[in-house]
Amino acid sequence: MLDNLTNRLSRVVKTLRGQARLTEENTQEMLREVRLALLEADVALPVVREFVARVKEKALGEEVISSLTPGQALVGIVHKELTALMGGDLGLEAGELSLAAQPPAVILMAGLQGAGKTTTTGKLARWLSEGSHTQHGRKTGKKKVLVVSADVYRPAAIEQLKTVAGQVGVDFLPSDASQKPETIATQALDHAKRHHYDVLIVDTAGRLGVDEAMMREIRALHDLLSPIETLFVVDAMQGQDAVNVARAFSEALPLTGVVMTKLDGDARGGAALSVRHVTGKPLKFVGVSEKLDGLQPFHPDRMAQRVLG
Ligand code: GDP
């Protein structure tokens, strides 16, 4: 049965109550519970190991040892470290996208098929065109957004983006499955420049698994487009597998951020911790619904709370 970290921790806190000091033994017991709970929340094993080592180091430090309530102090450390690992230490504003390019600012969407790229392209387009995002603490104006699909392998993909663009009321540049993805990208960039778009979002093909041809292709698109944001879209439900996919993408591409989708499902969100760890890049948004308004800026503390359960 799934037992969450909060339950596990509160049990340990109870057993620690009345014990004036943290000992090597009761600290180990606590860390064992943390480790199990994180694995159950789908955090990848290497990430769990490093996390536990960090918590242990802090726990054996002065602060906790001298604390009157060592159990509570440990819980505090776990929460703080989780938040930090989620990117709470980056000092980034939630949902901040870097768009300070000579327009058009290009956003390249990367990820496996089914991760939610096309849906997220629509959500981001909506977010930007409505001007509902903040940039360095202030609301920025509505952006003129163009979307294009460079997915020439799945015949329905281009149609899907067209539908999504229509639903959110942004411009869609038609492309054709007979074209090369590079040609589509070049034409889209040219069109966006000529028609003074602020932002061009390029949706790309995904495969069911990571493959070399796909990585070569998206790298070529990256070289052509020089995107200011290269966002890796990953499905929270992927759990432990997310870590390998994230590694492959971050090795192939200079990612600037991550969007984690399907957090409205019952995923515990541990994948967020793994993906953040492997890519070293901030999670910028989370997808919380199939609907096109289901996009939220990523808040490290909220995600830490979700993993804690
Ligand atoms: P793509 O192949 O990466 O372009 O993925 P799609 O955008 O087509 O999404 C795949 C499926 O996931 C679709 O059925 C979407 O409606 C669904 N989806 C995408 N994002 C979310 C999300 O945040 N929550 C939920 N529940 N479903 C989502």
Side-chain angles (χ1 to χ4, degrees), residues 22 40 62 64 72 96 114 118 158 200 208 228 249 266 272:
L22 279 181
E40 281 177 358
E62 278 307 307
V64 173
Q72 294 294 357
E96 190 165 322
T118 305
I158 298 173
L200 167 66
L208 292 174
I228 187 144
F249 274 92
D266 53 11

Side-chain angles (χ1 to χ4, degrees), residues 106-109 117-118 121 125 145-151 157-158 161-162 165 170-176 179 181 183-189 191-192 199-205 221 225:
V106 178
I107 303 177
L108 183 64
M109 308 297 286
K117 283 183 306 299
T118 305
T121 300
V145 181
L146 178 69
V147 299
V148 68
S149 171
D151 185 350
I158 298 173
L161 184 63
K162 182 180 179 184
V170 302
D171 292 343
F172 163 83
L173 185 69
S175 49
D176 190 285
Q179 291 178 291
T183 311
I184 294 173
T186 310
Q187 285 179 354
L189 192 56
H191 185 88
V199 182
L200 167 66
I201 310 181
V202 182
D203 191 12
T204 64
L221 289 179
L225 292 163

Side-chain angles (χ1 to χ4, degrees), residues 112-119 123 160 262 264 287-290:
L112 293 185
Q113 184 176 316
K117 283 183 306 299
T118 305
T119 310
K123 288 173 174 178
Q160 188 191 343
K262 308 186 197 179
D264 48 317
V288 293
S289 155
E290 275 181 304

